[in-house]
Amino acid sequence: MTQNITANENRPLTLRDVSEASGVSEMTVSRVLRNRGDVSDATRAKVLQAAKDLGYVPNKIAGALASQRVNLVAVIIPSLGNLVFPEVMTGINDMLDESPLQPVVGVTNYEPEREEKVLYEMLSWRPSGVIIAGLEHTEASRAMLRNSGIPIVEIMDSDGEPIDAMVGISHRRAGREMAQAIVGAGFRRIGFLGTKMPLDHRARKRFEGFTEALAKAGLEVIDQEFYDGGSALVKGREMTEAMLKRTPDLDFLYFSNDMIGAGGLLYCLDKGIDVPGQIGLAGFNGLRLLDGLPRKLATMDACRAEIGREAARIIADNAGTDSSGGIRKVLTPVLDLGETLRRGQAR
Amino acid sequence: MTQNITANENRPLTLRDVSEASGVSEMTVSRVLRNRGDVSDATRAKVLQAAKDLGYVPNKIAGALASQRVNLVAVIIPSLGNLVFPEVMTGINDMLDESPLQPVVGVTNYEPEREEKVLYEMLSWRPSGVIIAGLEHTEASRAMLRNSGIPIVEIMDSDGEPIDAMVGISHRRAGREMAQAIVGAGFRRIGFLGTKMPLDHRARKRFEGFTEALAKAGLEVIDQEFYDGGSALVKGREMTEAMLKRTPDLDFLYFSNDMIGAGGLLYCLDKGIDVPGQIGLAGFNGLRLLDGLPRKLATMDACRAEIGREAARIIADNAGTDSSGGIRKVLTPVLDLGETLRRGQAR
DNA sequence: TTGAAAGCGCTAACAA
DNA sequence: TTGTTAGCGCTTTCAA
């Protein structure tokens, strides 16, 4: 009821209003509202009551300026549509929940100039830390990060030099290990299907590791196909169809992500192709989302939630300092053979 | 190079630093950096150069406090894992890209108390507007929103009274129309499969609309099954299996979302069940993600991206004022029969 | 076109 | 345990 009384004033409430309503100094009100220092139970109760009655919401802008502390963590990711990034966000959220910090998300759409802009924008709020996807940034972005004077964690990739801390997996190694597993299972005529995204460095590195390991085994990718936009499941089907028509004697398809892999799998099953007898399949990411498919796709977990949690932990541990001390946490993705990369099983 | 010189100072740069480096007053520097008022080209160039050399990043906290303007929009959603919300976010991002506003996301996990906390937290940054999912909030949350003195848009639902503006669809109507389509196609023995989330009000309303329309046709839901957590695709399979074993004579399954619907579809196809001849299926959301399934699931588009865009547009149009003027935008979801809700086709 | 002064709403530091 | 004072880094306003 009292809320309505004060809501008439068309000016946001200030500490001063609470101070006057409770008959206590602004400073003491501030202390109560932040659970700081010693305040008698009596005053505390009085202040709390007044604040509640008025419907007072503190002004963090002023607080942050005065205290030179901002409990925000900038999180910069390429996309929200990718499914992978919401999972990273979940990990970050979970971890930061136990701290006073709050994540603020910026999306770059895989565009370096956009990343630069988003970063500038976020740094201008003077956050307590930055979590940013990838190790590749423009020189200007790198300079901003270096000079920011706050902890930085670059995530999801470990193939390169971080500016400060880093939490991720080696996509090069992931590609290599997948190639080794495929070759080890006896597959020889391998096709690759991926995205048309030169700026998705992690996908690129997986592919490089993959071809490198194949080369070591005296093999190479026989055919390739790339897509761009659209529903990944559909694209997976279409690309698989196109590739198998063009190069019918392939015995393995490596997809750069699980969604297109699932599309490929559904296509093969539709056409009555024996998987993995006639053709083996593998994707990347370990999306639990897809667990219910008719056959379990071989994949490799990218440790998304854990990466988020670890990065958030590093920021939380170092908030208030000027760096995360160059911590490097390299996680090891686990290869999951599923049911599409075992020879001598379904054949 | 100059960046390094100044980066040594372990204090963030201020306008004053730029002022001294360029020999121009702080005020003029401020004007240049905000493209404000008349500044001679000569001084402008000088200032810009100095700012760049120093690597100056403005302090928005101070700017916001002084100008009483914050170009942030609070976006409060229940979850990021749901796939639906990232799409809404994309719509919001797209729209706000053309404005000086920037979204800040808060996640509630469908918990009212968490929503309250997140809201309080966000309002304390004095954003230019709030976009919040749903029409159901705690009394405290409603009070905060009412008293915030900024434009509010409640999104995704239109069955209820908004605090200020509203952009969404009627889930009750969506449920009703789906029921009508199902009954109209000749299905009679209908099962429902959904989530165990009493606080997902939109799912609840769809279900209510659904049963209501069935009742009008003299029918009722014959069997129900609810799930909680886990991979939706898997759960869809499992629930479908359980229900069909328990109640084998069902001729239609209505799923509360497309993911479990897809699981159900895959299960039926696996088992060689004739869809929709023997049993019809429908989901909800219109996830393009699933377009590549072996058979196109009947569904209803929830207009997610458009809801995001519209809400963002309303905020952008009303930023700086104290409300969005009670705009109500009710979108109409389009029923998509797909290939699992047509009688006289596959039969 | 430029500059000087005042203050945004809060908190740090000190005093009582 | 409580209060006072002086800013935080910028922008507003007004004067030059």
Side-chain angles (χ1 to χ4, degrees):
Chain A
M1 139 234 145
T2 31
Q3 268 150 352
N4 301 336
I5 293 175
T6 58
N8 305 335
E9 274 278 12
N10 211 357
R11 159 188 67 79
L13 296 161
T14 69
L15 259 193
R16 159 162 238 102
D17 295 308
V18 182
S19 162
E20 283 168 0
S22 61
V24 175
S25 81
E26 281 185 52
M27 197 52 231
T28 301
V29 172
S30 167
R31 281 196 267 255
V32 171
L33 264 23
R34 286 177 297 145
N35 301 310
R36 267 290 165 73
D38 296 315
V39 181
S40 74
D41 287 350
T43 18
R44 173 182 308 282
K46 225 177 0 183
V47 169
L48 254 21
Q49 188 58 49
K52 194 178 172 190
D53 286 349
L54 293 169
Y56 173 69
V57 177
N59 184 332
K60 289 220 181 192
I61 310 237
L65 183 61
S67 67
Q68 303 284 67
R69 250 179 281 111
V70 180
N71 60 349
L72 259 25
V73 177
V75 180
I76 300 177
I77 55 179
S79 140
L80 276 172
N82 195 320
L83 217 33
V84 162
F85 299 106
E87 289 193 49
V88 174
M89 282 310 308
T90 302
I92 293 175
N93 276 325
D94 287 353
M95 194 71 226
L96 292 187
D97 258 10
E98 298 157 21
S99 81
L101 299 172
Q102 235 201 317
V104 181
V105 189
V107 174
T108 68
N109 296 325
Y110 288 99
E111 297 161 27
E113 324 77 51
R114 232 191 117 68
E115 178 180 271
E116 213 173 290
K117 198 187 140 210
V118 169
L119 185 57
Y120 183 81
E121 207 63 24
M122 303 216 118
L123 286 179
S124 69
W125 286 101
R126 301 284 187 268
S128 291
V130 175
I131 296 175
I132 184 167
L135 294 162
E136 284 78 17
H137 317 287
T138 65
E139 193 37 59
S141 292
R142 297 179 58 82
M144 280 191 270
L145 289 168
R146 262 198 316 270
N147 296 342
S148 63
I150 54 176
I152 309 293
V153 184
E154 287 166 276
I155 58 170
M156 314 206 57
D157 191 0
S158 70
D159 296 321
E161 271 307 300
I163 291 163
D164 182 4
M166 154 177 115
V167 179
I169 63 171
S170 165
H171 288 264
R172 215 162 251 137
R173 175 173 162 183
R176 230 162 33 222
E177 288 189 355
M178 185 56 93
Q180 286 158 359
I182 292 168
V183 173
F187 298 99
R188 289 295 175 271
R189 300 193 50 81
I190 299 161
F192 176 82
L193 303 90
T195 46
K196 219 177 262 156
M197 299 197 64
L199 294 174
D200 183 346
H201 299 284
R202 291 175 289 286
R204 194 201 73 221
K205 289 171 184 175
R206 284 199 299 279
F207 184 56
E208 288 170 2
F210 188 73
T211 53
E212 180 194 314
L214 284 190
K216 244 178 210 147
L219 296 173
E220 58 182 10
V221 166
I222 309 256
D223 195 358
Q224 318 187 4
E225 181 94 17
F226 298 90
Y227 81 102
D228 192 11
S231 159
L233 216 50
V234 173
K235 290 294 177 181
R237 286 188 105 96
E238 293 171 354
M239 289 197 293
T240 304
E241 175 164 26
M243 186 175 287
L244 290 182
K245 287 206 164 132
R246 191 169 55 219
T247 321
D249 62 338
L250 291 173
D251 66 0
F252 201 94
L253 301 180
Y254 179 40
F255 295 86
S256 80
N257 70 62
D258 283 349
M259 280 310 284
I260 54 173
L265 173 60
L266 290 173
Y267 173 82
C268 289
L269 296 179
D270 259 17
K271 295 293 171 193
I273 297 172
D274 173 13
V275 178
Q278 187 176 343
I279 203 161
L281 304 174
F284 180 83
N285 265 338
L287 287 188
R288 288 202 56 210
L289 182 80
L290 296 171
D291 280 355
L293 289 178
R295 200 152 307 174
K296 207 163 168 329
L297 187 68
T299 188
M300 208 168 226
D301 181 24
C303 312
R304 301 167 302 282
E306 192 180 354
I307 287 175
R309 276 195 304 274
E310 277 308 315
R313 188 204 311 281
I314 292 175
I315 295 294
D317 287 350
N318 294 283
T321 74
D322 68 349
S323 93
S324 0
I327 297 171
R328 288 161 199 227
K329 182 132 197 164
V330 180
L331 304 178
T332 312
V334 179
L335 176 62
D336 176 352
L337 293 178
E339 300 163 342
T340 63
L341 168 39
R342 291 183 227 255
R343 271 284 155 101
Q345 165 210 267
R347 171 157 262 181
Chain B
M1 136 239 146
T2 31
Q3 266 150 354
N4 300 335
I5 293 176
T6 57
N8 306 333
E9 275 278 12
N10 212 357
R11 159 187 66 79
L13 295 161
T14 68
L15 260 193
R16 159 161 238 101
D17 296 308
V18 182
S19 162
E20 283 168 1
S22 61
V24 175
S25 80
E26 280 185 51
M27 198 49 236
T28 302
V29 172
S30 168
R31 281 196 268 256
V32 171
L33 264 23
R34 287 177 296 145
N35 301 311
R36 267 288 163 73
D38 296 315
V39 181
S40 73
D41 286 350
T43 19
R44 174 183 308 282
K46 225 178 357 184
V47 169
L48 253 21
Q49 189 58 49
K52 195 178 172 191
D53 286 349
L54 294 169
Y56 172 70
V57 177
N59 184 331
K60 289 220 182 192
I61 310 237
L65 182 61
S67 67
Q68 304 283 69
R69 250 180 280 112
V70 180
N71 61 348
L72 258 25
V73 177
V75 180
I76 300 178
I77 55 180
S79 141
L80 276 173
N82 195 321
L83 218 32
V84 162
F85 300 106
E87 289 193 49
V88 174
M89 282 309 308
T90 302
I92 293 175
N93 276 326
D94 286 353
M95 194 72 224
L96 292 187
D97 257 11
E98 298 157 22
S99 80
L101 299 171
Q102 235 201 318
V104 181
V105 189
V107 174
T108 69
N109 297 324
Y110 288 99
E111 297 161 27
E113 325 77 50
R114 232 190 117 68
E115 178 180 89
E116 212 173 291
K117 197 187 140 209
V118 169
L119 185 57
Y120 183 80
E121 206 63 25
M122 303 217 118
L123 286 180
S124 70
W125 286 101
R126 301 284 187 268
S128 291
V130 176
I131 296 176
I132 185 167
L135 295 162
E136 283 79 16
H137 316 287
T138 65
E139 193 36 59
S141 291
R142 297 178 60 82
M144 279 190 271
L145 289 169
R146 262 199 315 271
N147 296 342
S148 63
I150 53 176
I152 309 293
V153 184
E154 288 166 277
I155 58 170
M156 313 206 58
D157 191 1
S158 70
D159 296 320
E161 271 307 300
I163 292 164
D164 183 6
M166 154 177 115
V167 180
I169 63 170
S170 164
H171 288 264
R172 215 162 251 137
R173 174 173 163 184
R176 229 162 34 221
E177 289 189 356
M178 186 57 94
Q180 286 157 359
I182 292 168
V183 173
F187 298 99
R188 289 295 175 269
R189 300 194 48 80
I190 299 160
F192 177 82
L193 303 90
T195 46
K196 218 177 263 157
M197 300 197 66
L199 294 174
D200 183 346
H201 299 284
R202 291 175 289 286
R204 195 200 73 222
K205 290 171 184 176
R206 283 199 299 279
F207 185 55
E208 288 170 2
F210 188 73
T211 53
E212 181 195 313
L214 283 190
K216 243 177 211 150
L219 296 172
E220 58 182 9
V221 165
I222 309 256
D223 196 359
Q224 320 186 2
E225 180 94 17
F226 298 91
Y227 81 103
D228 192 11
S231 159
L233 216 51
V234 174
K235 290 295 176 180
R237 286 187 106 95
E238 293 172 355
M239 289 197 293
T240 304
E241 175 164 26
M243 185 173 288
L244 290 183
K245 286 204 166 134
R246 192 168 55 219
T247 321
D249 61 339
L250 291 173
D251 66 0
F252 201 93
L253 301 180
Y254 179 40
F255 296 86
S256 80
N257 71 61
D258 283 349
M259 281 309 285
I260 54 173
L265 173 60
L266 290 174
Y267 172 81
C268 289
L269 296 179
D270 259 17
K271 295 295 170 192
I273 296 172
D274 174 12
V275 177
Q278 186 177 344
I279 203 162
L281 304 174
F284 180 83
N285 266 338
L287 288 188
R288 287 202 56 210
L289 182 81
L290 296 172
D291 280 355
L293 288 178
R295 199 152 309 175
K296 206 160 169 333
L297 187 68
T299 187
M300 207 169 226
D301 181 23
C303 312
R304 302 169 301 283
E306 193 181 354
I307 287 175
R309 275 195 304 273
E310 277 308 315
R313 187 203 311 282
I314 292 175
I315 295 294
D317 287 350
N318 294 282
T321 73
D322 66 350
S323 93
S324 4
I327 297 171
R328 289 163 197 224
K329 182 132 195 163
V330 180
L331 304 177
T332 311
V334 178
L335 175 62
D336 176 352
L337 293 178
E339 301 163 343
T340 63
L341 167 39
R342 290 185 228 255
R343 271 284 156 100
Q345 165 211 264
R347 173 158 260 181

